[in-house]
Amino acid sequence: MTEFSISPLEMDGVLSIIPATAPAIPMVFDSPHSGLAIPKHFEKIASDDLVLVASDTYVDDLFDFAPAIGAPMLLAHFPRSFLDLNRSLEDVDLELVDGTWPHAVRESASARRGMGLIWRFAWGDQPMYDRKLSVAELENRIDTYWRPYHRALVHLLDTTYDTFDRVYHVNCHSMPAFGHVLSPDPAGTIRKDIVIGDYDGTSSEPDFVQLVIKTLESFGYSVSLNVPFRGAELVSAYNTPAKNRHSIQIELNRSLYMDEVTREKNAGYSELKENLARLGTVLKDYVKSGEP
């Protein structure tokens, strides 16, 4: 196998690529919602604290073992409610648009809830803006943030695939401990410790999915598959399991590692981080087992 390397990349305020620090394996990790840097041109009426409630705080750190097992990691810098990288470009909330949106849209449950490509609500029923956004504003946000991130992810996946003839993509997230008014499950629903999403069985080979589930359960975590989160754009858009391109989503219950009100780390943080690193080693061994 020819060795290859992926170069680091830093787009200030947009994204980072952290390359592997160990011999490369056919894996790519990304954390699209852990960014906390609020753009200066984000003209909102919601407070910064309320905006950051939706962010996957610390997920970038919890999965930072990825480069050490040989997998690059892609990180976004900005909050998801400013622009949600895990949405299709067709998930535009037309209630937020001033004028006629000139691009394709689709029926989108997330956009109906105000959690489309650009969020109408900061959290709960708190509006994000006191006005609608112009077409030019939305297009600029897409061109500056969405397109570079997706290009970077496709580059990582394609480069890895071209080298190994296979690639396993792990899309990293967190979730509140309970369902809420903006979520697909009813408000107050008690969630499992971890949710694995494989887009209802279509985004990854089953053995990889089951390995993730069984390994996490062996650590003592309760795990569900596709309930309430099956994965979204970043899991569904770039996989072809029949061609050995696999994607899964991992959602961590925030109560495992942080206080959801203060967003401070709790006593379980170190244990979770250690267990995720152990999971990483198991996955490394699995994806390497197919090497000639």
Side-chain angles (χ1 to χ4, degrees):
M1 180 68 66
T2 301
E3 282 298 318
F4 82 108
S5 62
I6 289 173
S7 300
L9 174 65
E10 185 79 20
M11 294 179 64
D12 188 38
V14 179
L15 63 82
S16 299
I17 293 175
I18 303 172
T21 57
I25 62 172
M27 291 195 76
V28 172
F29 287 72
D30 87 301
S31 180
H33 292 160
S34 55
L36 304 178
I38 295 178
K40 293 179 180 179
H41 53 280
F42 190 3
E43 297 178 1
K44 57 187 177 54
I45 59 172
S47 69
D48 289 358
D49 285 342
L50 199 58
V51 168
L52 295 180
V53 168
S55 295
D56 289 343
T57 304
Y58 302 124
V59 165
D60 50 348
D61 182 68
L62 287 165
F63 285 90
D64 73 355
F65 63 84
I69 65 169
M73 187 160 192
L74 172 62
L75 308 173
H77 294 171
F78 53 90
R80 67 177 300 197
S81 50
F82 170 73
L83 179 136
D84 198 329
L85 293 162
N86 208 20
R87 300 286 183 259
S88 163
L89 290 180
E90 296 185 357
D91 290 335
V92 171
D93 182 352
L94 296 178
E95 290 191 34
L96 195 56
V97 182
D98 182 12
T100 301
W101 184 246
H103 309 290
V105 294
R106 66 181 183 182
E107 172 59 26
S108 170
S110 59
R112 284 201 311 273
R113 297 195 304 269
M115 298 172 65
L117 182 64
I118 293 171
W119 286 26
R120 183 168 17 111
F121 298 108
W123 197 250
D125 59 358
Q126 169 62 50
M128 184 72 82
Y129 307 96
D130 60 359
R131 61 179 179 86
K132 294 188 174 185
L133 303 182
S134 71
V135 170
E137 284 179 285
L138 294 173
E139 290 176 333
N140 181 67
R141 204 173 290 190
I142 289 167
D143 290 342
T144 304
Y145 296 91
W146 194 96
R147 294 190 192 280
Y149 190 93
H150 280 253
R151 281 197 299 265
L153 180 59
V154 169
H155 167 70
L156 294 177
L157 295 174
D158 287 352
T159 301
T160 303
Y161 183 80
D162 290 345
T163 302
F164 294 97
D165 294 323
R166 62 195 186 282
V167 62
Y168 293 84
H169 167 219
V170 180
N171 184 230
C172 307
H173 295 266
S174 70
M175 60 184 177
F178 300 94
H180 51 87
V181 296
L182 294 179
S183 67
D185 51 343
T189 300
I190 300 173
R191 292 171 170 170
K192 300 287 189 179
D193 292 331
I194 301 174
V195 176
I196 306 303
D198 67 354
Y199 217 68
D200 293 333
T202 64
S203 69
S204 175
E205 63 184 18
D207 287 350
F208 185 67
V209 177
Q210 288 302 313
L211 177 65
V212 174
I213 292 172
K214 297 303 182 185
T215 302
L216 291 169
E217 288 178 337
S218 75
F219 298 157
Y221 298 115
S222 61
V223 184
S224 68
L225 177 62
N226 294 317
V227 180
F229 303 110
R230 64 175 185 161
E233 183 70 6
L234 290 163
V235 165
S236 65
Y238 307 119
N239 70 79
T240 314
K243 295 183 177 180
N244 241 343
R245 300 178 67 114
H246 311 281
S247 291
I248 65 166
Q249 177 175 283
I250 298 180
E251 294 267 3
L252 305 175
N253 191 313
R254 293 173 189 164
S255 67
L256 291 174
Y257 64 90
M258 65 180 259
D259 183 310
E260 291 193 60
V261 176
T262 66
R263 296 178 34 249
E264 296 294 325
K265 297 176 183 177
N266 66 22
Y269 193 94
S270 294
E271 180 181 4
L272 177 61
K273 184 166 181 174
E274 290 170 4
N275 284 335
L276 290 173
R278 292 168 64 196
L279 171 67
T281 299
V282 171
L283 298 184
K284 178 188 72 172
D285 292 341
Y286 175 87
V287 303
K288 284 176 63 66
S289 66
E291 291 183 355

